[in-house]
Amino acid sequence: MLVVENLAFSYGAATIFSGVNFTVQKGRLCGLFGPNGSGKSTLFKCCLGLLKMGAGRVQIAGQDVASLSAASMARLVAYVPQDHTPPFPFLAREIVLMGRSPHFGGVFGLKKQDWQIAHEAMQKLGIEHLADKVYTKLSGGQRQLVLIARALAQQTPFIMLDEPTSSLDFKNQLLIWKILRDIVTEGTTVFACAHDPNHVLWFCDDLVVINQGKLAASGKARDVLNQGLLQELYGDVCSVGQLCGQQMIYPEQMLHQAA
């Protein structure tokens, strides 16, 4: 679904990353992982054509991103940013309905089906009660749920999410990852930036890791996120362990206390 070849990007003389190569396979939930400042959000924007890459090539569904119009991109991929504040006080349901814009036909605008799809997307996330609330007055976590509902309403084969659970409480973090797993099961490909290594282990099929401007690792999540990689990324602050047969990342101090 996504092919990245020799991707590079710089802000002036400052190189953010270079020589990045990886793929996101169709029908998989792939995580993008790495320390703060490693360039994950910038990489997302390059993949979407929102930033002009310094070198390399990006393809989505076999099509070169550099040659795609905005309308064509919007029918291929939905994007959920870390945060979004619109210039006007739209209602939450209006924000979700914006996900239907790539499917509008001519001058006829919204159809009954568009309203139904938007409503079902909000229902799936349990936020239909927010439909008539002003989006800019919602909490950060509620706004994030609305943006994810907008992406679902867009009905694309590929969704990219930049830290989709960063503003959410623990319950809603798990809810979002479960929903992402469900939509992958239904056939949508998902590429999601994550900060919590346990979320990656519990929910992702595959993983791409960026560190210090380079691709540090890629492959199946459980194979990639090992003790050696954690040491490279974070030093001695955490370790891989087991709890009830489930692989988990623990603070190093906790493992010593358990021992």
Side-chain angles (χ1 to χ4, degrees), residues 27-28 178-189 205:
R28 307 277 285 182
K178 182 181 181 300
I179 287 170
L180 295 181
R181 279 255 48 108
D182 289 344
I183 65 175
V184 168
T185 301
E186 294 165 4
T188 301
T189 305
D205 300 308

Side-chain angles (χ1 to χ4, degrees), residues 33 207 209 216-217 224-234:
F33 190 68
L207 186 61
V209 183
V224 167
L225 201 57
N226 54 40
Q227 189 62 45
L229 180 65
L230 289 173
Q231 181 82 21
E232 177 185 340
L233 297 179
Y234 304 120

Side-chain angles (χ1 to χ4, degrees), residues 157-188:
F158 188 31
I159 299 179
M160 295 177 64
L161 305 98
D162 191 356
E163 298 185 34
T165 62
S166 61
S167 301
L168 303 180
D169 59 31
F170 183 67
K171 176 184 176 181
N172 281 314
Q173 288 177 16
L174 297 183
L175 170 67
I176 292 304
W177 282 108
K178 182 181 181 300
I179 287 170
L180 295 181
R181 279 255 48 108
D182 289 344
I183 65 175
V184 168
T185 301
E186 294 165 4
T188 301

Side-chain angles (χ1 to χ4, degrees), residues 34-53:
N36 288 337
S38 56
K40 299 185 299 298
S41 295
T42 302
L43 188 148
F44 258 38
K45 291 174 182 177
C46 287
C47 290
L48 290 160
L50 301 176
L51 290 175
K52 187 177 180 180
M53 64 192 80

